Amino acid sequence: MIDSLVQIKQILTGSYTNHHPFFHTMLIRFFVTVGIRLFQDINVGIALYCIFQIFFMAFSFACAVTTLYQDGLLKRGLWICAGYYVLMPFHIMYGITVWKDTMFGGFVLLFIVFIYRRLKEIGRFKSFNLLMILISGVGMCLFRSNGYFAFALSTLLFMLLFGKRYLKLNISFFAVLLLTFLLKHPLLSALQVPQPDFVEGLSIPMQQIARVVIDDQDLTPKQQEALEKIMDLSRVPEVYNSGLYDPVKGLARVNQDYLREHAGEYLGLWLEIGISHPTTYMKAFIDQTKGYWNGGYWKWRWLDYIYKNDYGIYMTTKSEIYNDFTATLFGTMPRNDFLVMFLCIGMHVWAIGVLAFLSFLRRDKKGLFITLPVLAVIVSLLMATPVYSEFRYAYSVFTCFPFMLLAVLGSVKSN
């Protein structure tokens, strides 16, 4: 995908940004450097990264299944969980895809697994559980831009649920937030690594304003004058896409420095327009986020090829058996009316919401909390998603779902 190739370009040119997480790019760089220096072949480096990622995801999935086993889950549930991780095509394909989303999904899973182990006192090595909470927390915060917000929200919710009962965990959470803040900001500033564009996180308000420009066309002269300073309003109807922020972002990026300098004024302008056009704002919000809480929308979910590039990166498979197997597996699921439900982000999010509600009714704070980090990721997408339904953005939902389902519903002790 283009995102991966952008990261490869940064590695080869030495010109980095934090638009795609810098620390994920550095991880790719390590393996690419090994491949080039030892084998004079960038493909070897990409292959080594994929092997590392496969083992990382296998470790994450194994920790989930092992924890359920140690918690006394019946074997039938363990087989279901393991089968989900082994056979679902998105896990297979994402394991060999050089995206930040794959490892982010693994870190979120490890975080809830080891929080669950700590809360239920599973395993003899408590210090190892705490260490993995720290590592997975750092990974959450560094491997996706919205991960820091999701982790911070999870920290707040944990404190509301448990108070000072788990002091070491509270201290660990704040240590992760402090460390990753220093890594993401002071360190990157010292390294002269630019942060993402200011307009990147403004998808919802910008889409809402654009929708008013198109649908209502009744902005006051003063409002029009202010908006003209940050984008060409005459081009908004031409480029606007109700589920994709990139076209409007392209207009706003031209004058984003002015927007940043007058952020307070434009916040007030956004609120002022919203008060006059609440229905239009709601329509824009729904169209920009609907794929994360509703079903029935087609959107690509994985890629089984490599974009044409100038870096010498290519993919080849010499096994016809493998080609036939993957073609059948990856092709059948999206076209089958029943199986496609297992690819639906909205259905899984609602199911996790039901698990959270059941835990709340049962006053099971431990079961409730393990659902909250994933819901926090979804909340972060609802606040700033650039695409209305991007499977990879919500991949952590699918890495964590079977563990959460069985942990909440399947806590039957076996002999």
Side-chain angles (χ1 to χ4, degrees):
M1 189 181 174
I2 294 298
D3 287 3
S4 304
L5 294 177
V6 169
Q7 289 178 279
I8 296 298
K9 181 179 179 180
Q10 291 182 26
I11 292 167
L12 296 179
T13 62
S15 178
Y16 298 99
T17 75
N18 199 34
H19 177 79
H20 302 294
F22 172 78
F23 295 97
H24 178 242
T25 304
M26 289 297 99
L27 180 62
I28 301 171
R29 179 177 180 268
F30 170 79
F31 291 101
V32 167
T33 301
V34 171
I36 292 176
R37 289 186 178 178
L38 297 185
F39 302 94
Q40 291 74 51
D41 189 347
I42 192 173
N43 286 284
V44 174
I46 300 297
L48 290 173
Y49 172 84
C50 290
I51 292 170
F52 166 80
Q53 184 170 262
I54 289 170
F55 276 99
F56 171 78
M57 296 306 294
F59 171 75
S60 304
F61 297 153
C63 287
V65 177
T66 301
T67 297
L68 293 172
Y69 169 76
Q70 291 178 307
D71 197 35
L73 187 72
L74 296 176
K75 288 185 178 180
R76 184 182 303 172
L78 295 175
W79 281 111
I80 291 172
C81 187
Y84 182 94
Y85 287 134
V86 170
L87 297 176
M88 282 296 178
F90 42 79
H91 291 317
I92 297 173
M93 185 55 69
Y94 276 49
I96 55 172
T97 303
V98 187
W99 287 340
K100 55 187 176 289
D101 312 277
T102 302
M103 293 197 63
F104 178 76
F107 280 126
V108 178
L109 175 60
L110 287 173
F111 180 68
I112 69 169
V113 165
F114 281 94
I115 284 289
Y116 187 76
R117 294 176 68 88
R118 176 65 183 86
L119 294 179
K120 300 201 73 173
E121 298 184 351
I122 296 173
R124 292 177 296 171
F125 305 104
K126 295 182 179 179
S127 58
F128 180 72
N129 290 342
L130 185 60
L131 175 64
M132 288 305 302
I133 290 170
L134 290 169
I135 293 174
S136 59
V138 170
M140 278 184 65
C141 291
L142 294 183
F143 273 61
R144 271 202 64 85
S145 298
N146 60 319
Y148 190 90
F149 171 85
F151 188 86
L153 181 56
S154 300
T155 298
L156 175 62
L157 294 172
F158 185 88
M159 294 182 64
L160 292 175
L161 283 174
F162 298 103
K164 299 179 181 179
R165 181 179 174 186
Y166 295 98
L167 183 59
K168 286 185 179 180
L169 286 181
N170 287 329
I171 294 174
S172 299
F173 293 162
F174 281 106
V176 168
L177 290 172
L178 177 60
L179 172 62
T180 53
F181 178 84
L182 295 174
L183 291 173
K184 286 166 67 76
H185 295 284
L187 177 61
L188 294 190
S189 295
L191 296 175
Q192 297 184 336
V193 176
Q195 295 294 337
D197 288 342
F198 180 70
V199 295
E200 286 291 333
L202 302 178
S203 60
I204 301 301
M206 295 298 287
Q207 288 287 81
Q208 289 173 325
I209 290 175
R211 189 66 168 262
V212 171
V213 171
I214 295 171
D215 287 1
D216 299 333
Q217 302 178 357
D218 62 350
L219 295 173
T220 67
K222 184 178 179 181
Q223 291 170 342
Q224 289 187 22
E225 181 182 357
L227 292 175
E228 284 285 0
K229 293 178 180 179
I230 61 171
M231 71 172 76
D232 184 354
L233 293 184
S234 66
R235 294 197 57 204
V236 171
E238 171 190 340
V239 304
Y240 177 74
N241 183 320
S242 63
L244 180 64
Y245 174 47
D246 284 359
V248 171
K249 179 176 67 178
L251 295 180
R253 181 180 281 126
V254 176
N255 296 316
Q256 65 174 322
D257 291 338
Y258 181 85
L259 177 59
R260 183 191 297 109
E261 293 169 2
H262 300 81
E265 298 174 24
Y266 281 94
L267 173 62
L269 179 62
W270 171 69
L271 292 172
E272 177 185 311
I273 297 174
I275 293 172
S276 303
H277 305 84
T279 303
T280 306
Y281 266 33
M282 182 55 66
K283 288 178 181 178
F285 175 80
I286 290 172
D287 284 343
Q288 187 65 26
T289 63
K290 57 189 178 184
Y292 302 106
W293 49 267
N294 198 11
Y297 310 106
W298 184 91
K299 190 77 168 62
W300 70 275
R301 298 175 179 90
W302 55 74
L303 296 176
D304 57 0
Y305 62 91
I306 294 176
Y307 272 43
K308 184 178 179 180
N309 62 87
D310 299 323
Y311 310 123
I313 302 172
Y314 63 90
M315 180 175 68
T316 180
T317 54
K318 299 181 179 180
S319 170
E320 291 298 328
I321 296 176
Y322 172 81
N323 288 338
D324 293 341
F325 169 75
T326 54
T328 301
L329 180 63
F330 298 149
T332 299
M333 197 169 186
R335 294 195 299 265
N336 185 283
D337 291 339
F338 173 74
L339 294 178
V340 76
M341 291 192 301
F342 294 96
L343 301 175
C344 178
I345 303 171
M347 186 191 78
H348 284 76
V349 170
W350 277 100
I352 295 171
V354 169
L355 294 176
F357 184 64
L358 289 176
S359 297
F360 174 78
L361 292 179
R362 294 164 56 186
R363 297 183 180 180
D364 179 10
K365 293 182 179 180
K366 299 171 184 177
L368 173 60
F369 181 75
I370 64 171
T371 67
L372 297 182
V374 177
L375 293 177
V377 171
I378 296 299
V379 169
S380 70
L381 291 174
L382 297 183
M383 294 174 61
T385 176
V387 188
Y388 77 97
S389 179
E390 189 80 352
F391 188 91
R392 63 192 181 103
Y393 292 173
Y395 180 57
S396 57
V397 170
F398 297 86
T399 59
C400 299
F401 179 73
F403 176 80
M404 290 185 292
L405 177 68
L406 296 172
V408 173
L409 299 183
S411 56
V412 179
K413 298 292 183 180
S414 65
N415 292 327

